[in-house]
Amino acid sequence: MNSPIIFSHACFDWPDGSLALSDLTVTFSTGRTGLVGDNGSGKTTILRLIAGQLTPTRGHIDVHGDIAYLPQMVISQPGSTLADLLGVSPKLAALRAIEAGSVDTKLFDLVGDDWNIRERATQVLHELGGVGGGLADAGLDREATTLSGGEAMVVAVAGCRLRDAPITMLDEPTNNLDQVLRQAVVEMVRTWPGTVLVVSHDRDLLESMDAIAEARDHQVTIFGGPYSQFVEAVSREQAAAVQAEKTAEQALRVARHQRVVAFERTAKNLARGKQKAIKEGMGKGSRDAMRGIAEDGAGRTRGAVAARVDQAETELTQAAGRVRQSDRIRIDLPDPEVHASKTLAEFRCGTDGQFILRGPARVALTGRNGVGKTTMLEQLMSTLGRSQPSGGWAGRIGPVIGTLMTDRVGYLPQRYDLIDDAANAIQVISEVAPQATSSEIRAQLARLLIRGDTVFRPVSTLSGGERFRVGLARLLLGTPPPQLLILDEPTNNIDLTSVDQLVDALESYRGAILIVSHHSEFLSRVGVTTELELTGHGLSVHPLT
């Protein structure tokens, strides 16, 4: 059969003239393909082009088969039900009308061959109930707003599976999911029939792919195999590109040296020829003729060596272009003065359970979707700035009381909002570090990879990765420096490169960190040693090795 998705010399420009895709010719085959790339590389744009929500500026895209498309955000409207999330409400309504006696042919066309859609949808919810949380005993008429965002996402993914479309596209389906729900999505995708295109930075999900497509430099390159094989292939490609760049640099040095030698040699030869002609008593006409011949030869020599230099410079530029830039964050942060004995926060459950966050500890706050982790952090942070009660600033959720013992707290919520999107990066940092000079701020921003004219652009115009790093800079560079960082799902909606850069930045921080995250690999990389698990009954403390 024909390949289900074919891009033929497709280009796409945004209305402001910025380029998203350039002369893209690529084929997506049947099977599971993970689409990866840095923020702003065009991943979601590619999905929207395939779905027909956008039209290529030039070239064309051929899609063979119906599409089930799940965007990043699943928003449950008031009054919507789980049947709406599953995408089966129209068919269920048509089926009920037919069962009530309607003979409208449009209703029969809508139902098609799905006369058992009610049973199939109910079975899907029953299977999802096995993952626990708020999905247990869920029915088709249950209001979708009673689910957490993660639970709603899993139901929506299951709805795409239920549609059984030849082509399915999922945009970041595991964002905001706890470990159990993430695994449920991974298992669904692992056995998904037809063609599945998944945008994700979830390594576990990407490892279940048949191929990895990388969006980079307005193009897409497809690598066979799961994510680990993609990483190995890129590593080999990078090593070869670095070696080719070194070889091209050496060739350019040789060519430039040869040019200098050739120029010196031809100059000396011309001078010697002139002196010889004078010594031998040649007439002016003969000397001019000989000089012309010699200068023509010297010109050809200079042209040849100059051409070799130009060729070497071109080859170096091409070789350097194949080397991936591996920017790492290296930032010098002030000491927040968090000694090992300093108590920064306490969490109490009932009269007996207690956890004390003391010293520069790194702690993870975990729990199922919908249990209240974000609510707990928001309640805790909402008390900052009030008059200080005895024992600190306290927030309560269910049976748990959290108490902050310091007012030097930096908070990065899931949807971080900078004070003024119209401000530039320097102005944003100046608000939290008023004593720092513009040059000092620029130096620190450069180490966070916010460089050049980017520091003067409004934050609203920056890419997702740049906005994230400005938000991180505002958190880390404030004066006095925060003694406790609270990060709520910091790896959601950022690419794998930005995750690496976040790890780099946190390596330099010498205070305490409380992180909400379901990604065990990320928690391990930032040195988390203790897990606080929030349940409907309280907190459980688990050491991590």
Side-chain angles (χ1 to χ4, degrees):
M1 64 172 289
N2 293 330
S3 297
I5 304 170
I6 302 173
F7 283 68
S8 299
H9 303 288
C11 302
F12 183 76
D13 304 322
W14 290 107
D16 64 1
S18 59
L19 179 65
L21 299 175
S22 174
D23 196 32
L24 176 59
T25 297
V26 68
T27 298
F28 293 98
S29 301
T30 301
R32 299 177 300 277
T33 300
L35 181 56
V36 302
D38 291 346
N39 288 123
S41 60
K43 303 185 295 296
T44 296
T45 301
I46 290 170
L47 297 193
R48 294 183 64 194
L49 284 164
I50 295 172
Q53 296 180 359
L54 298 174
T55 302
T57 309
R58 295 173 296 281
H60 56 92
I61 303 169
D62 295 319
V63 179
H64 304 280
D66 292 336
I67 297 173
Y69 175 35
L70 184 64
Q72 281 190 34
M73 298 300 298
V74 174
I75 301 175
S76 300
Q77 301 296 332
S80 64
T81 66
L82 267 60
D84 294 321
L85 274 181
L86 288 171
V88 299
S89 289
K91 287 190 176 183
L92 289 178
L95 187 59
R96 283 193 292 267
I98 292 171
E99 291 171 344
S102 175
V103 292
D104 188 338
T105 57
K106 292 181 180 178
L107 297 176
F108 284 84
D109 291 339
L110 182 57
V111 174
D113 295 328
D114 270 345
W115 294 101
N116 64 341
I117 186 62
R118 183 187 296 111
E119 291 74 20
R120 290 173 57 214
T122 301
Q123 178 62 28
V124 166
L125 289 182
H126 175 74
E127 293 172 355
L128 290 178
V131 303
L135 294 173
D137 302 321
L140 291 172
D141 295 327
R142 177 176 170 180
E143 287 196 15
T145 53
T146 63
L147 301 181
S148 70
E151 291 163 346
M153 174 61 79
V154 172
V155 173
V157 172
C160 286
R161 179 69 182 266
L162 186 63
R163 280 189 57 180
D164 202 24
I167 300 171
T168 302
M169 299 190 301
L170 308 175
D171 196 350
E172 298 285 7
T174 60
N175 275 2
N176 304 307
L177 303 190
D178 61 43
Q179 187 62 40
V180 176
L181 294 180
R182 282 178 60 223
Q183 193 57 39
V185 170
V186 170
E187 288 304 318
M188 272 193 276
V189 173
R190 194 188 307 277
T191 58
W192 207 299
T195 299
V196 186
L197 189 57
V198 183
V199 171
S200 182
H201 61 265
D202 186 328
R203 293 172 188 263
D204 289 339
L205 180 58
L206 293 172
E207 197 59 27
S208 68
M209 298 292 109
D210 299 312
I212 299 296
E214 184 188 27
R216 181 170 177 260
D217 295 336
H218 315 300
Q219 287 287 314
V220 173
T221 304
I222 296 182
F223 300 77
Y227 186 74
S228 57
Q229 291 186 21
F230 160 74
V231 172
E232 292 176 4
V234 169
S235 179
R236 291 194 298 269
E237 178 188 89
Q238 179 76 343
V242 169
Q243 183 56 51
E245 183 182 32
K246 291 179 179 178
T247 301
E249 287 174 344
Q250 178 61 26
L252 178 58
R253 284 194 292 268
V254 170
R256 285 173 173 170
H257 176 71
Q258 290 175 340
R259 179 176 61 183
V260 171
V261 171
F263 280 19
E264 290 176 347
R265 182 183 300 119
T266 54
K268 290 178 180 178
N269 288 342
L270 287 172
R272 282 198 297 267
K274 181 179 180 180
Q275 292 174 354
K276 181 179 179 181
I278 293 174
K279 185 178 181 179
E280 292 178 353
M282 287 186 179
K284 184 177 183 303
S286 298
R287 293 201 306 270
D288 288 344
M290 289 187 63
R291 184 176 65 240
I293 295 172
E295 287 179 347
D296 286 344
R300 288 192 296 272
T301 299
R302 285 194 294 265
V305 294
R308 285 198 291 271
V309 170
D310 290 342
Q311 179 64 25
E313 288 175 341
T314 299
E315 292 176 355
L316 175 57
T317 300
Q318 293 172 344
R322 290 189 289 270
V323 177
R324 295 168 181 257
Q325 299 304 311
S326 181
D327 281 336
R328 302 292 299 273
I329 286 177
R330 291 289 182 266
I331 184 168
D332 297 325
L333 298 175
D335 189 349
E337 299 177 349
V338 178
H339 306 295
S341 60
K342 184 174 181 61
T343 298
L344 298 172
E346 293 182 357
F347 298 91
R348 293 195 293 279
C349 177
T351 57
D352 299 323
Q354 183 183 43
F355 174 77
I356 299 176
L357 198 163
R358 182 180 289 124
R362 302 199 168 196
V363 179
L365 178 63
T366 66
R368 295 300 309 276
N369 281 117
V371 75
K373 301 182 296 296
T374 294
T375 301
M376 180 176 178
L377 297 184
E378 289 175 346
Q379 288 185 0
L380 199 60
M381 291 303 301
S382 68
T383 59
L384 283 178
R386 300 178 184 175
S387 59
Q388 182 177 2
S390 59
W393 294 264
R396 178 192 297 269
I397 178 170
V400 179
I401 298 175
T403 306
L404 290 174
M405 310 301 289
T406 176
D407 62 346
R408 289 169 55 184
V409 181
Y411 178 42
L412 190 68
Q414 284 191 36
R415 300 176 183 276
Y416 56 92
D417 294 318
L418 299 174
I419 291 177
D420 184 2
D421 256 6
N424 62 42
I426 293 179
Q427 292 168 334
V428 167
I429 305 307
S430 294
E431 292 174 354
V432 296
Q435 303 303 316
T437 67
S438 177
S439 59
E440 290 171 341
I441 292 174
R442 289 195 68 177
Q444 289 288 60
L445 286 173
R447 294 178 180 179
L448 277 158
L449 312 182
I450 308 295
R451 301 172 176 142
D453 292 340
T454 301
V455 302
F456 300 114
R457 290 169 50 195
V459 170
S460 59
T461 67
L462 302 182
S463 70
E466 289 168 337
R467 284 174 57 85
F468 173 77
R469 290 195 298 278
V470 172
L472 187 62
R474 186 171 183 271
L475 193 70
L476 295 173
L477 301 179
T479 53
Q483 296 180 324
L484 171 64
L485 295 183
I486 298 180
L487 312 176
D488 192 358
E489 295 287 4
T491 61
N492 278 357
N493 302 312
I494 63 172
D495 55 58
L496 291 166
T497 298
S498 296
V499 172
D500 292 339
Q501 292 166 350
L502 174 60
V503 172
D504 289 342
L506 294 181
E507 283 180 352
S508 303
Y509 178 65
R510 285 165 283 181
I513 303 176
L514 178 64
I515 306 179
V516 174
S517 179
H518 302 295
H519 295 270
S520 56
E521 180 187 6
F522 170 71
L523 294 176
S524 175
R525 292 178 66 192
V526 298
V528 168
T529 58
T530 305
E531 176 188 5
L532 293 183
E533 183 183 9
L534 182 63
T535 69
H537 305 288
L539 278 176
S540 300
V541 182
H542 311 286
L544 298 178
T545 56

